[in-house]
Amino acid sequence: MAQKQQALATTARDVPSHRFTNLYSLLHWDYWIRCAAEAVLARPGSSTAGVDGQTRQAFRARFEEHIASLVADLKRRTYQPTPVRRVYIPKPNGKRRPLGIATLRDRIVQEALRAILDPIFESDFRPHSYGFRKGRCTMDAIAVMMPLFNTSSKHYYVIEGDIKGYFDAVQHRKLVSLLKRRIADKDLIALIWRFLKAGVMEDGLFARSEAGVPQGAGLTPPTTWQTYCGTSR
């Protein structure tokens, strides 16, 4: 798996205009899905069930059956993501942040997708981009800025900006168009589209996903940030 990821990263770095094909076949590679499953089940959050109510313990009890089912569904291209379960966590300002808890099956497929996309898009990011990236966190940005604050360089201000409700307002078609700059595999794009449109369940009611991405899922930044840096943003 690491060898294949390195090959993807090398191609992405050496050929900035390259659009990747034949990526979907990795998703129904038994080893790839097993690695994704073990990564998901090792996380503390995997003890929380999605809309299907399935716990980590129940999934592990029928692990081989679940893996075989995932591989078969992905290979047939019939995998259909389920809606995320909406929960809320408190924010320091007194408001609540909405999270979308996906089923373990969906989290595993998302992790398998992330393992494909990560090495490709990491190669495109700028060196001083730190948010939500593998092996990078807030302290890395601070370490770069601190030497600039002295009497010789004369940098005196830090400007903080935030986009209100950014993750709730992500435009699906725009997001997919950006992915297509690097990804030419139609099956992979189609699966990502189905995840974007899977919808939300809250208090037993279903809501369509017209825009936005659920925070807390394996393919959304807050999860990635916590996984790599061991802390929340």
Side-chain angles (χ1 to χ4, degrees):
M1 186 176 188
Q3 186 176 6
K4 179 61 178 177
Q5 288 179 307
Q6 183 59 52
L8 293 173
T10 299
T11 301
R13 182 195 64 215
D14 295 346
V15 190
S17 61
H18 182 75
R19 297 180 70 226
F20 290 81
T21 59
N22 196 30
L23 295 174
Y24 189 88
S25 60
L26 291 173
L27 286 178
H28 53 80
W29 178 18
D30 184 87
Y31 178 70
W32 198 275
I33 285 294
R34 286 178 182 273
C35 288
E38 291 299 342
V40 168
L41 295 174
R43 295 169 186 160
S46 65
S47 60
T48 304
V51 295
D52 61 355
Q54 187 170 65
T55 63
R56 175 172 55 195
Q57 183 178 3
F59 191 96
R60 283 202 177 279
R62 299 170 59 190
F63 184 81
E64 293 299 328
E65 181 181 340
H66 287 304
I67 294 298
S69 175
L70 283 171
V71 170
D73 287 348
L74 289 166
K75 195 168 187 177
R76 290 193 298 261
R77 292 163 174 74
T78 58
Y79 189 86
Q80 182 60 51
T82 54
V84 297
R85 180 169 65 88
R86 172 72 76 222
V87 298
Y88 295 89
I89 59 172
K91 297 173 66 174
N93 61 6
K95 296 182 179 180
R96 298 191 302 167
R97 183 189 305 279
L99 295 183
I101 308 300
T103 63
L104 286 174
R105 279 172 55 89
D106 283 351
R107 276 180 261 181
I108 289 168
V109 176
Q110 288 188 30
E111 173 63 19
L113 279 166
R114 185 206 59 77
I116 294 171
L117 298 174
D118 232 19
I120 295 172
F121 287 96
E122 270 291 322
S123 302
D124 290 343
F125 293 150
R126 296 185 178 277
H128 291 313
S129 171
Y130 296 98
F132 310 122
R133 289 182 63 191
K134 185 176 182 178
R136 294 167 179 248
C137 53
T138 307
M139 294 309 298
D140 296 315
I142 293 174
V144 172
M145 291 191 297
M146 286 303 292
L148 301 176
F149 293 96
N150 54 60
T151 54
S152 58
S153 61
K154 297 182 180 180
H155 290 83
Y156 301 121
Y157 302 97
V158 174
I159 300 175
E160 179 183 8
D162 191 17
I163 301 175
K164 183 179 180 180
Y166 174 79
F167 294 111
D168 297 329
V170 172
Q171 295 298 311
H172 293 167
R173 292 191 182 279
K174 181 61 176 179
L175 176 60
V176 168
S177 71
L178 293 173
L179 288 172
K180 286 180 177 179
R181 292 182 181 180
R182 276 300 210 172
I183 309 299
D185 189 317
K186 293 182 179 179
D187 291 323
L188 197 79
I189 292 294
L191 180 58
I192 293 172
W193 182 257
R194 291 200 293 274
F195 269 111
L196 290 171
K197 296 300 185 182
V200 176
M201 289 290 292
E202 183 175 356
D203 296 329
L205 299 176
F206 173 78
R208 295 182 180 275
S209 303
E210 302 298 343
V213 292
Q215 296 185 60
L219 283 177
T220 49
T223 303
T224 304
W225 179 280
Q226 292 170 23
T227 299
Y228 293 139
C229 296
T231 182
S232 59
R233 186 163 178 252

